[in-house]
Amino acid sequence: MEHRIKDLRAAFGLTQEQLSEQIGVSRQTIISIESGRYNPSLELAYKISKVFGCKIEDVFIFEKGSE
C-alpha cells in the first residue's frame, strides 16, 4: 500500500520517534510502515491520519483490485 507518511512527517517537522510516541507504537513500526514492509491496521492508520489532521484516504493510497 502506498502512503504519504514520510512526506507528511517532514512537512510537520516530526521525526519517526516523535510520530511513534504520538500514536503509541515503536519507532521500528514507523520504519516498517514507511519502508513498505508493514501495512498498518485500520486503527493505526486512523491514528496516523489524526496526527496530520487528514482523512485516512489522504494519507494512504489504496490500490483498486482487478475487476
Side-chain angles (χ1 to χ4, degrees):
M1 168 184 344
E2 293 186 40
H3 56 77
R4 300 177 46 227
I5 296 172
K6 191 172 184 177
D7 293 336
L8 288 167
R9 199 171 45 72
F12 279 72
L14 294 173
T15 65
Q16 290 172 331
E17 183 71 29
Q18 290 167 327
L19 178 58
S20 70
E21 289 172 359
Q22 288 190 32
I23 61 175
V25 298
S26 70
R27 179 174 166 264
Q28 187 61 41
T29 299
I30 300 301
I31 291 169
S32 294
I33 293 169
E34 287 187 356
S35 68
R37 290 187 311 244
Y38 174 72
N39 287 327
S41 65
L42 184 56
E43 179 181 359
L44 185 52
Y46 177 77
K47 288 179 180 181
I48 292 169
S49 67
K50 287 300 163 193
V51 168
F52 300 124
C54 301
K55 293 186 269 181
I56 291 175
E57 55 268 22
D58 294 333
V59 178
F60 296 92
I61 299 115
F62 296 98
E63 297 177 15
K64 293 183 179 180
S66 57
E67 297 177 27

